[in-house]
Structures are given as structure tokens and as C-alpha cells.
Amino acid sequence: AQSVTQPDIHITVSEGASLELRCNYSYGATPYLFWYVQSPGQGLQLLLKYFSGDTLVQGIKGFEAEFKRSQSSFNLRKPSVHWSDAAEYFCAADFSGGYNKLIFGAGTRLAVHP
Amino acid sequence: SAVISQKPSRDICQRGTSLTIQCQVDSQVTMMFWYRQQPGQSLTLIATANQGSEATYESGFVIDKFPISRPNLTFSTLTVSNMSPEDSSIYLCSIGQGENIQYFGAGTRLSVL
């Protein structure tokens, strides 16, 4: 079955440190890929997306993600984390060829130490 | 992107009752979706709300439990019927808008006692 895996449930980093959140999707045709962030008590905000083309995509809030077909991965990165980045991050994939059927990973909760 | 408003933002309900959640968009959109996020869990798609026709439900979700209306291109409702504590979740609506992207409302936090 098609799936999205986020191996890390919780990650803690120090403010100013770099960040990488992992995301893997099940094998097969490359889906459309997304990263969303959910701050406490809020809905989901789209950080970035990958459909095709350049495998390094830039998003909002200084985030970027790299698509690696050989690893079926779409990891999210940020060079320097701010305390306001503490939130839950969801990787999602649309395997339906653009019919908007999103499958979400379990999420990674990010804590930022001062 | 469009502005998505969900009401109520939170509610506490008694078991056996029903709650209707509203999702209003400030522009016409073709696709609207309803998701459930159980405590500490990820999001699961409940159904696609189709304008002028019955919603399309995902496996594990049925119309009797989660009736959905979509009277026009800017509005949808999700009703959680005959609630039990297991229905305590965040319910989110989303819209599909251009480039196969979904945008989400702030969600409705439901607690069932």
C-alpha cells in the first residue's frame, strides 16, 4: 500500500543549529510531495512542494527540501533553527496523479532549546 | 491563497449528540476535503465534498456517521453523528486550489465526554 514514513517522532535541537527532518514514501511512481507545519492550536501551513524538475526546492520560512528518487526520500532542512520553528511537521504525498488524495506521514514534533 | 474559516474552533459535546462543523471559503473552489486528526496522530482523509452531489468517502468512513453537505462552491459542512469519546479529534477542512495543492483551515477541536 502507498504510504509515507517519518521515522522520527520527536526531535530536539538547539536554537541556531541545523535541522533535517526525514521523510520516505513507498516505492513506485514518484508522487507529488509536500511538507506542512502545524503550530500548536493551528491548522496546517504549506511549507513547500515538489512536483518535478529541480530536486532541491525552496519553501517559506527558510526551509528547503531535497527529493532523492534513489532513496524515495524528501527530507526537509533548515540551516539555522529559530525558537518559533517549534511545531509539528508533516510530510505528505499525492500518489493519485494530481487528484488531491493526500497521504500523510505520522508527523515529527520539533522542540527547540534556547 | 483563499481564506478558509472553520466554525466552531472547538467544542465539548456529550456522547450521543451530533455536531455540525462549517467550512467557509472566501472564493469559489472546486475541491473541498474533510480530514480527521486523532490525538497524537496524523491526518486521515474522511471524504471529498462534491458540489451538488454526495460526498466520496474513504475506506472506514460512512455517510451515516459523517454526513457532508456541499451546497455551493464556497461552503461545506461535516456532521459528526451520535458521538462517542472515540470521536474526540481535530477535524480539518481543506481546499484544492491550483497546482494540486491543498490549503487547510485552522481545524475544529472536538472533545466528547
Side-chain angles (χ1 to χ4, degrees), chain B residues 55-73:
Chain B
T56 305
Y57 289 85
E58 298 300 307
S59 176
F61 297 96
V62 295
I63 187 171
D64 290 346
K65 177 66 176 177
F66 297 103
I68 288 171
S69 77
R70 178 92 193 269
N72 55 54
L73 292 176

Side-chain angles (χ1 to χ4, degrees), chain A residues 6 36-45 87-91 104-109, chain B residues 6 21 34-47 61 66 78 80 85-93 104-111:
Chain A
Q6 292 180 247
Y36 287 88
V37 60
Q38 185 178 37
S39 299
Q42 303 293 313
L44 272 72
Q45 182 180 22
E88 183 131 28
Y89 292 81
F90 291 97
C91 181
F104 282 82
T108 298
R109 184 167 297 276
Chain B
Q6 260 188 259
I21 302 167
W34 287 98
Y35 287 82
R36 181 176 71 182
Q37 186 180 17
Q38 293 177 298
Q41 304 290 319
S42 186
L43 283 78
T44 303
L45 179 63
I46 298 171
F61 297 96
F66 297 103
L78 168 75
V80 186
E86 292 70 35
D87 294 318
S88 297
S89 297
I90 302 173
Y91 292 86
L92 299 104
C93 76
F104 287 80
T108 295
R109 291 180 175 273
L110 171 62
S111 296

Side-chain angles (χ1 to χ4, degrees), chain A residues 28-66:
Chain A
T30 300
Y32 298 153
L33 293 162
F34 307 85
W35 276 98
Y36 287 88
V37 60
Q38 185 178 37
S39 299
Q42 303 293 313
L44 272 72
Q45 182 180 22
L46 178 68
L47 287 175
L48 47 77
K49 63 189 184 298
Y50 174 78
F51 292 161
S52 65
D54 192 346
T55 57
L56 185 64
V57 294
Q58 302 297 319
I60 63 171
K61 303 186 178 188
F63 286 93
E64 67 179 25
E66 185 172 13

Side-chain angles (χ1 to χ4, degrees), chain B residues 2-68:
Chain B
V3 176
I4 306 167
S5 302
Q6 260 188 259
K7 291 181 181 179
S9 58
R10 59 178 65 235
D11 208 341
I12 301 173
C13 300
Q14 297 296 320
R15 84 170 59 215
T17 63
S18 298
L19 176 71
T20 296
I21 302 167
Q22 299 179 5
C23 182
Q24 178 76 54
V25 188
D26 68 348
S27 60
Q28 293 186 341
V29 295
T30 305
M31 307 193 77
M32 294 182 76
F33 307 88
W34 287 98
Y35 287 82
R36 181 176 71 182
Q37 186 180 17
Q38 293 177 298
Q41 304 290 319
S42 186
L43 283 78
T44 303
L45 179 63
I46 298 171
T48 302
N50 302 308
Q51 194 269 329
S53 65
E54 274 195 6
T56 305
Y57 289 85
E58 298 300 307
S59 176
F61 297 96
V62 295
I63 187 171
D64 290 346
K65 177 66 176 177
F66 297 103
I68 288 171

Side-chain angles (χ1 to χ4, degrees), chain A residues 2-107:
Chain A
Q2 294 156 340
S3 63
V4 175
T5 302
Q6 292 180 247
D8 305 306
I9 298 174
H10 293 279
I11 285 184
T12 300
V13 300
S14 298
E15 191 168 17
S18 63
L19 172 70
E20 182 168 27
L21 303 182
R22 296 183 290 165
C23 173
N24 295 92
Y25 61 91
S26 55
Y27 301 119
T30 300
Y32 298 153
L33 293 162
F34 307 85
W35 276 98
Y36 287 88
V37 60
Q38 185 178 37
S39 299
Q42 303 293 313
L44 272 72
Q45 182 180 22
L46 178 68
L47 287 175
L48 47 77
K49 63 189 184 298
Y50 174 78
F51 292 161
S52 65
D54 192 346
T55 57
L56 185 64
V57 294
Q58 302 297 319
I60 63 171
K61 303 186 178 188
F63 286 93
E64 67 179 25
E66 185 172 13
F67 169 67
K68 292 186 177 180
R69 185 187 305 276
S70 61
Q71 298 177 19
S72 297
S73 69
F74 188 56
N75 294 349
L76 182 71
R77 301 195 294 245
K78 187 169 185 178
S80 178
V81 171
H82 188 264
W83 64 266
S84 61
D85 293 323
E88 183 131 28
Y89 292 81
F90 291 97
C91 181
D94 178 357
F95 294 93
S96 65
Y99 284 91
N100 277 291
K101 297 273 191 176
L102 286 183
I103 295 175
F104 282 82

